[in-house]
Amino acid sequence: MHWLIAGAIAGVAAYLTDWLMWGKLFTKGMDDFFSGTPEEAQANMGPALAQSAVLALVFGVVLAFTYQRVAGTLWVERGGPLAGMEFGTVLWLPTVALATVGGGVWFDKARPLFRAQFWTWLVRLNVAGLVLGFLM
């Protein structure tokens, strides 16, 4: 499958994963990070979801392009779902994991937000990598 199509599908999978994690799992304690009324939150929901969808598609396409370029250097040699998950985890560890752990050291009030981002990025990258591994 062409990497653009695989990237778009991986972006949709990442978007749905992101929606599930932030909409259903990480809800307790997140009200402290919103300064507004529930009506304002409802009014901002549509544009925020649209922006998130566009960013997820761009994320999926860039991830697919990068995966296509480095697939031959992964430990899992023949590709497939495990190679995609390896790729996602290798990207996550030096960038997101260290940034969220390091930022959580300095910002005590935002530590729950950093912890949530730590796990959502790991899951998001592994889901997108899994989809790319299946499709490419």
Side-chain angles (χ1 to χ4, degrees), residues 40-53:
E40 289 174 340
Q42 193 69 20
N44 292 333
M45 187 61 67
L49 286 172
Q51 182 181 11
S52 179

Side-chain angles (χ1 to χ4, degrees), residues 4-56:
L4 277 172
I5 296 170
I9 294 170
V12 169
Y15 176 80
L16 293 174
T17 302
D18 198 37
W19 173 79
L20 177 69
M21 298 288 281
W22 286 106
K24 304 298 178 190
L25 297 177
F26 295 119
T27 56
K28 184 179 178 187
M30 292 298 153
D31 294 337
D32 298 338
F33 299 105
F34 180 73
S35 60
T37 64
E39 291 80 24
E40 289 174 340
Q42 193 69 20
N44 292 333
M45 187 61 67
L49 286 172
Q51 182 181 11
S52 179
V54 169
L55 288 172

Side-chain angles (χ1 to χ4, degrees), residues 17-102:
T17 302
D18 198 37
W19 173 79
L20 177 69
M21 298 288 281
W22 286 106
K24 304 298 178 190
L25 297 177
F26 295 119
T27 56
K28 184 179 178 187
M30 292 298 153
D31 294 337
D32 298 338
F33 299 105
F34 180 73
S35 60
T37 64
E39 291 80 24
E40 289 174 340
Q42 193 69 20
N44 292 333
M45 187 61 67
L49 286 172
Q51 182 181 11
S52 179
V54 169
L55 288 172
L57 285 174
V58 170
F59 165 77
V61 169
V62 169
L63 196 71
F65 174 75
T66 309
Y67 177 74
Q68 172 203 18
R69 305 291 274 174
V70 302
T73 64
L74 297 172
W75 287 344
V76 180
E77 295 176 357
R78 289 185 291 278
L82 284 179
M85 290 178 69
E86 176 194 350
F87 175 68
T89 304
V90 165
L91 284 179
W92 169 80
L93 185 60
T95 55
V96 178
L98 295 176
T100 55
V101 169

